[in-house]
Short mmCIF file of all heavy atoms in Angstrom, two decimals:
data_model
loop_
_atom_site.label_atom_id
_atom_site.label_comp_id
_atom_site.label_asym_id
_atom_site.label_seq_id
_atom_site.Cartn_x
_atom_site.Cartn_y
_atom_site.Cartn_z
N ARG A 221 130.39 164.58 74.94
CA ARG A 221 129.12 164.94 75.63
C ARG A 221 127.83 164.33 75.07
O ARG A 221 126.77 164.83 75.26
CB ARG A 221 128.94 166.48 75.66
CG ARG A 221 130.14 167.18 76.39
CD ARG A 221 129.90 168.63 76.67
NE ARG A 221 128.88 168.77 77.77
CZ ARG A 221 129.23 168.74 79.04
NH1 ARG A 221 130.46 168.59 79.42
NH2 ARG A 221 128.28 168.85 79.99
N LYS A 222 128.01 163.25 74.29
CA LYS A 222 126.84 162.50 73.83
C LYS A 222 126.89 161.10 74.39
O LYS A 222 127.87 160.64 74.97
CB LYS A 222 126.88 162.42 72.24
CG LYS A 222 126.70 163.78 71.60
CD LYS A 222 126.31 163.56 70.13
CE LYS A 222 125.89 164.91 69.49
NZ LYS A 222 127.01 165.78 69.35
N VAL A 223 125.76 160.37 74.28
CA VAL A 223 125.62 159.01 74.79
C VAL A 223 124.91 158.15 73.78
O VAL A 223 124.11 158.68 72.89
CB VAL A 223 124.86 158.96 76.13
CG1 VAL A 223 125.50 159.80 77.21
CG2 VAL A 223 123.41 159.41 75.96
N PHE A 224 125.08 156.87 73.82
CA PHE A 224 124.26 155.89 73.20
C PHE A 224 123.12 155.51 74.17
O PHE A 224 123.44 155.07 75.28
CB PHE A 224 125.02 154.60 72.83
CG PHE A 224 126.01 154.71 71.72
CD1 PHE A 224 127.29 154.29 71.88
CD2 PHE A 224 125.65 155.27 70.48
CE1 PHE A 224 128.19 154.36 70.84
CE2 PHE A 224 126.55 155.38 69.44
CZ PHE A 224 127.82 154.91 69.63
N VAL A 225 121.88 155.62 73.78
CA VAL A 225 120.77 155.20 74.59
C VAL A 225 120.21 153.90 73.97
O VAL A 225 119.76 153.88 72.86
CB VAL A 225 119.62 156.26 74.70
CG1 VAL A 225 118.49 155.76 75.54
CG2 VAL A 225 120.16 157.64 75.12
N PHE A 226 120.32 152.82 74.80
CA PHE A 226 119.78 151.54 74.44
C PHE A 226 118.43 151.51 75.11
O PHE A 226 118.25 151.36 76.31
CB PHE A 226 120.64 150.35 74.98
CG PHE A 226 122.00 150.31 74.30
CD1 PHE A 226 123.01 151.14 74.69
CD2 PHE A 226 122.31 149.34 73.37
CE1 PHE A 226 124.27 151.10 74.09
CE2 PHE A 226 123.51 149.25 72.79
CZ PHE A 226 124.48 150.15 73.12
N ARG A 227 117.32 151.65 74.26
CA ARG A 227 116.01 152.00 74.81
C ARG A 227 115.25 150.80 75.40
O ARG A 227 114.41 151.00 76.22
CB ARG A 227 115.15 152.65 73.73
CG ARG A 227 115.79 153.94 73.19
CD ARG A 227 114.76 154.72 72.40
NE ARG A 227 113.90 153.86 71.58
CZ ARG A 227 112.76 154.29 71.03
NH1 ARG A 227 112.35 155.49 71.24
NH2 ARG A 227 112.05 153.44 70.29
N ASN A 228 115.46 149.65 74.82
CA ASN A 228 114.62 148.51 75.20
C ASN A 228 115.21 147.56 76.20
O ASN A 228 116.44 147.43 76.30
CB ASN A 228 114.29 147.68 73.93
CG ASN A 228 113.56 148.58 72.86
OD1 ASN A 228 112.94 149.53 73.27
ND2 ASN A 228 113.62 148.23 71.60
N ASP A 229 114.37 146.87 76.95
CA ASP A 229 114.79 145.85 77.90
C ASP A 229 113.78 144.71 77.88
O ASP A 229 112.64 144.93 78.17
CB ASP A 229 114.89 146.45 79.27
CG ASP A 229 115.23 145.38 80.35
OD1 ASP A 229 115.79 144.35 79.95
OD2 ASP A 229 114.92 145.58 81.50
N PRO A 230 114.20 143.45 77.54
CA PRO A 230 115.51 143.11 76.93
C PRO A 230 115.63 143.66 75.51
O PRO A 230 114.63 144.12 74.93
CB PRO A 230 115.55 141.66 76.99
CG PRO A 230 114.13 141.19 76.87
CD PRO A 230 113.36 142.26 77.62
N SER A 231 116.83 143.64 74.96
CA SER A 231 117.04 144.35 73.69
C SER A 231 117.82 143.47 72.75
O SER A 231 118.64 142.62 73.16
CB SER A 231 117.86 145.60 74.00
OG SER A 231 118.36 146.12 72.80
N ASP A 232 117.54 143.61 71.47
CA ASP A 232 118.36 142.90 70.41
C ASP A 232 119.27 143.92 69.72
O ASP A 232 119.95 143.58 68.74
CB ASP A 232 117.48 142.19 69.45
CG ASP A 232 116.50 143.12 68.73
OD1 ASP A 232 116.59 144.34 68.93
OD2 ASP A 232 115.72 142.59 67.81
N ALA A 233 119.37 145.12 70.26
CA ALA A 233 120.13 146.20 69.62
C ALA A 233 121.58 146.13 70.08
O ALA A 233 121.92 145.62 71.13
CB ALA A 233 119.56 147.57 69.96
N TYR A 234 122.47 146.65 69.24
CA TYR A 234 123.90 146.76 69.62
C TYR A 234 124.55 147.77 68.71
O TYR A 234 123.99 148.28 67.73
CB TYR A 234 124.60 145.43 69.53
CG TYR A 234 124.57 144.69 68.15
CD1 TYR A 234 125.65 144.75 67.31
CD2 TYR A 234 123.37 144.03 67.76
CE1 TYR A 234 125.63 144.10 66.04
CE2 TYR A 234 123.37 143.40 66.52
CZ TYR A 234 124.52 143.44 65.67
OH TYR A 234 124.44 142.82 64.47
N VAL A 235 125.81 148.16 69.03
CA VAL A 235 126.62 149.05 68.30
C VAL A 235 127.93 148.37 67.91
O VAL A 235 128.54 147.78 68.81
CB VAL A 235 126.88 150.37 69.08
CG1 VAL A 235 127.81 151.31 68.33
CG2 VAL A 235 125.58 151.07 69.47
N VAL A 236 128.24 148.37 66.67
CA VAL A 236 129.47 147.75 66.17
C VAL A 236 130.55 148.87 66.09
O VAL A 236 130.27 149.93 65.51
CB VAL A 236 129.31 147.18 64.75
CG1 VAL A 236 130.60 146.50 64.31
CG2 VAL A 236 128.15 146.18 64.70
N LEU A 237 131.72 148.60 66.72
CA LEU A 237 132.82 149.56 66.68
C LEU A 237 133.91 149.03 65.78
O LEU A 237 134.25 147.85 65.72
CB LEU A 237 133.39 149.75 68.10
CG LEU A 237 132.36 150.18 69.13
CD1 LEU A 237 133.15 150.33 70.48
CD2 LEU A 237 131.67 151.45 68.78
N SER A 238 134.53 149.94 64.98
CA SER A 238 135.69 149.60 64.14
C SER A 238 136.89 150.14 64.73
O SER A 238 136.98 151.30 65.01
CB SER A 238 135.48 150.20 62.71
OG SER A 238 134.20 150.03 62.24
N ALA A 239 137.91 149.20 64.85
CA ALA A 239 139.20 149.61 65.39
C ALA A 239 140.30 149.27 64.43
O ALA A 239 140.22 148.30 63.70
CB ALA A 239 139.45 148.91 66.78
N LYS A 240 141.30 150.13 64.41
CA LYS A 240 142.50 149.85 63.52
C LYS A 240 143.54 149.08 64.40
O LYS A 240 144.24 149.71 65.17
CB LYS A 240 143.08 151.11 63.04
CG LYS A 240 142.11 152.10 62.45
CD LYS A 240 142.08 152.06 60.95
CE LYS A 240 141.10 153.05 60.30
NZ LYS A 240 139.72 152.95 60.75
N LEU A 241 143.49 147.80 64.28
CA LEU A 241 144.44 146.99 65.03
C LEU A 241 145.52 146.40 64.11
O LEU A 241 145.16 145.63 63.22
CB LEU A 241 143.71 145.84 65.77
CG LEU A 241 143.19 146.10 67.19
CD1 LEU A 241 142.20 145.05 67.57
CD2 LEU A 241 144.28 146.19 68.11
N GLU A 242 146.73 146.87 64.34
CA GLU A 242 147.82 146.41 63.45
C GLU A 242 148.29 144.99 63.83
O GLU A 242 148.62 144.19 62.95
CB GLU A 242 149.02 147.34 63.54
CG GLU A 242 148.66 148.82 63.41
CD GLU A 242 148.12 149.18 62.03
OE1 GLU A 242 148.70 148.75 61.08
OE2 GLU A 242 147.10 149.93 62.00
N GLN A 243 148.26 144.69 65.14
CA GLN A 243 148.83 143.41 65.57
C GLN A 243 148.11 142.95 66.85
O GLN A 243 147.35 143.80 67.48
CB GLN A 243 150.34 143.51 65.86
CG GLN A 243 150.63 144.52 66.96
CD GLN A 243 151.92 145.33 66.57
OE1 GLN A 243 152.20 145.55 65.43
NE2 GLN A 243 152.58 145.83 67.61
N PRO A 244 148.26 141.73 67.20
CA PRO A 244 147.61 141.20 68.45
C PRO A 244 148.08 141.96 69.70
O PRO A 244 149.12 142.64 69.66
CB PRO A 244 148.15 139.78 68.55
CG PRO A 244 148.44 139.40 67.13
CD PRO A 244 149.01 140.61 66.49
N LEU A 245 147.23 141.96 70.72
CA LEU A 245 147.47 142.79 71.94
C LEU A 245 148.25 142.04 73.02
O LEU A 245 147.74 140.94 73.44
CB LEU A 245 146.17 143.34 72.45
CG LEU A 245 145.35 144.21 71.55
CD1 LEU A 245 144.00 144.55 72.15
CD2 LEU A 245 146.06 145.54 71.34
N GLN A 246 149.34 142.55 73.51
CA GLN A 246 149.99 142.00 74.63
C GLN A 246 149.56 142.77 75.96
O GLN A 246 149.71 142.27 77.07
CB GLN A 246 151.50 142.13 74.54
CG GLN A 246 152.12 141.47 73.32
CD GLN A 246 152.11 139.92 73.49
OE1 GLN A 246 151.96 139.42 74.58
NE2 GLN A 246 152.30 139.22 72.40
N ASN A 247 149.07 143.99 75.68
CA ASN A 247 148.57 144.86 76.83
C ASN A 247 147.38 145.62 76.28
O ASN A 247 147.35 145.91 75.10
CB ASN A 247 149.66 145.91 77.17
CG ASN A 247 151.00 145.28 77.51
OD1 ASN A 247 151.17 144.66 78.56
ND2 ASN A 247 151.93 145.32 76.58
N PHE A 248 146.48 145.95 77.13
CA PHE A 248 145.38 146.80 76.71
C PHE A 248 144.72 147.47 77.94
O PHE A 248 144.84 146.98 79.04
CB PHE A 248 144.32 146.09 75.82
CG PHE A 248 143.51 145.09 76.58
CD1 PHE A 248 142.40 145.49 77.31
CD2 PHE A 248 143.90 143.73 76.58
CE1 PHE A 248 141.59 144.50 78.02
CE2 PHE A 248 143.07 142.77 77.25
CZ PHE A 248 142.00 143.19 78.00
N THR A 249 143.98 148.56 77.68
CA THR A 249 143.05 149.16 78.64
C THR A 249 141.76 149.46 77.92
O THR A 249 141.79 149.98 76.84
CB THR A 249 143.64 150.46 79.26
OG1 THR A 249 144.93 150.19 79.75
CG2 THR A 249 142.76 151.01 80.34
N VAL A 250 140.66 149.10 78.59
CA VAL A 250 139.34 149.47 78.07
C VAL A 250 138.67 150.31 79.09
O VAL A 250 138.70 149.90 80.29
CB VAL A 250 138.51 148.26 77.57
CG1 VAL A 250 138.35 147.24 78.69
CG2 VAL A 250 137.17 148.64 76.99
#
């Protein structure tokens, strides 16, 4: 129930996400 608000336009902001990837992907869904 929370959101990231990117306030500026245009913007130099971003969010880095860390994922635990054991191996390359043959299939995925985002």
Side-chain angles (χ1 to χ4, degrees):
R221 300 190 74 84
K222 294 197 170 70
V223 301
F224 288 130
V225 182
F226 294 77
R227 301 194 320 164
N228 300 334
D229 175 23
S231 168
D232 58 2
Y234 58 102
V235 177
V236 183
L237 305 180
S238 316
K240 311 262 183 302
L241 271 166
E242 312 295 316
Q243 60 221 28
L245 297 172
Q246 301 287 346
N247 308 283
F248 69 83
T249 305
V250 59

